[in-house]
């Protein structure tokens, strides 16, 4: 049971479960909602939001997983959408490289731009693999509509992706446990727990800036490190 719970707590497991739910909405509700004749792309929104919340590397991994799941229900060549979504997630994750301490509106602009580029990359990739008739003027309308709608939903989607932040736990001989987890890319928090008959009790918590620095858990050899 503990092993199953440990697997369920892994970020990739949570991402898969969230993506599965989003995919069900994509293929049902959002498949029939077509403003200006354009199908809204919430799967692409999940990829960009993962990049915004966790950075380029995680954004690329999340985009590849989400895109591969989307490919399974589409008629496109398997893996093509995964590559495009991975690229979009990577581009969205570069927000912190271009903007220092991005605000909500800069995240919306960058997510909208990444989503629009993703809708341009897809027909281009289809053309490369030999699909004909996909490059036309309508793709500009598709890119514009998807970019605007995804930008409008970026803030709640990004907060949802932040819930999957990595959590590392270390148990000490004294029974005290420390948990270190990243909050976005700029902060790292270290919380200490003492276990009682009623469960874990927080006895100390510390949050500090972690960009380009190493944060060490006080009184222990455990440490966490974030990268730019």
């Amino acid at each position: 049971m503990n092993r199953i719970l440990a697997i369920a707590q892994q970020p990739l497991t949570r991402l898969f479960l969230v993506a599965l739910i989003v995919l069900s909405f994509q293929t049902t509700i959002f498949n029939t909602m077509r403003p200006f004749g354009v199908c809204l792309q919430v799967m692409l929104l999940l990829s960009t939001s993962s990049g915004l919340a966790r950075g380029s590397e995680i954004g690329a991994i999340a985009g590849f997983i989400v895109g591969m799941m989307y490919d399974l229900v589409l008629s496109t060549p398997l893996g093509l959408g995964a590559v495009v979504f991975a690229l979009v997630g990577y581009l969205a994750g570069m927000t912190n490289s271009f903007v220092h301490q991005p605000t909500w509106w800069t995240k919306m602009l960058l997510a909208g731009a990444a989503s629009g580029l993703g809708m341009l990359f897809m027909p281009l990739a289809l053309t490369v693999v030999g699909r004909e008739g996909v490059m036309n003027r309508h793709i500009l309308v598709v890119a514009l509509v998807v970019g605007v709608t995804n930008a409008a939903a970026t803030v709640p989607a990004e907060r949802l992706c932040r819930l999957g932040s990595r959590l590392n736990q270390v148990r000490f001989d004294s029974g005290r446990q420390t948990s270190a987890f990243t909050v976005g890319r700029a902060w790292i928090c270290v919380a200490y727990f003492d276990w009682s008959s009623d469960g874990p009790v927080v006895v100390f918590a510390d949050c500090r800036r972690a960009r380009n620095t190493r944060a060490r858990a006080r009184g222990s050899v455990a440490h966490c490190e974030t990268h730019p």
Side-chain angles (χ1 to χ4, degrees), residues 9-214:
Q9 291 175 357
Q10 294 297 318
L12 291 180
T13 304
R14 292 196 291 264
L15 171 65
F16 175 79
L17 295 177
V18 172
L20 198 61
I21 297 174
V22 175
L23 180 62
S24 66
F25 285 113
Q26 177 71 74
T27 55
T28 54
I29 298 176
F30 291 100
N31 191 41
T32 58
M33 296 176 57
R34 295 176 177 265
F36 303 99
V38 177
C39 179
L40 301 181
Q41 298 294 326
V42 290
M43 292 292 282
L44 188 62
L45 174 63
L46 181 61
S47 300
T48 57
S49 300
S50 299
L52 288 173
R54 297 297 308 224
S56 299
E57 182 178 351
I58 301 300
I61 296 174
F64 186 85
I65 295 174
V66 172
M68 185 63 72
M69 295 176 63
Y70 200 16
D71 279 340
L72 295 176
V73 299
L74 296 178
S75 59
T76 56
L78 184 64
L80 188 66
V83 174
V84 173
F85 278 40
L87 180 59
V88 172
Y90 182 85
L91 292 176
M94 296 179 66
T95 302
N96 292 322
S97 300
F98 291 110
V99 182
H100 179 63
Q101 294 182 349
T103 59
W104 61 270
W105 61 270
T106 57
K107 293 180 180 180
M108 290 178 60
L109 289 177
L110 293 173
S115 298
L117 288 175
M119 299 313 298
L120 295 178
F121 290 156
M122 182 61 75
L124 181 61
L126 288 172
T127 303
V128 171
V129 298
R131 187 73 62 88
E132 297 180 355
V134 293
M135 294 293 294
N136 50 56
R137 295 181 179 179
H138 184 63
I139 64 173
L140 298 178
V141 178
V142 173
L144 180 61
V145 173
V146 171
V148 171
T149 53
N150 282 7
T154 294
V155 175
E158 192 246 353
R159 291 179 179 176
L160 175 64
C161 292
R162 284 187 182 276
L163 295 179
S165 294
R166 182 174 52 192
L167 179 63
N168 297 323
Q169 295 184 337
V170 180
R171 180 177 291 277
F172 301 102
D173 295 336
S174 61
R176 174 166 292 186
Q177 177 174 305
T178 181
S179 298
F181 53 96
T182 57
V183 182
R185 287 172 57 86
W187 291 87
I188 189 166
C189 296
V190 181
Y192 296 85
F193 299 88
D194 270 338
W195 290 82
S196 63
S197 58
D198 297 327
V201 178
V202 177
V203 295
F204 175 76
D206 179 31
C207 293
R208 67 192 78 178
R209 298 288 298 181
R211 186 187 297 272
N212 299 324
T213 63
R214 174 175 294 183

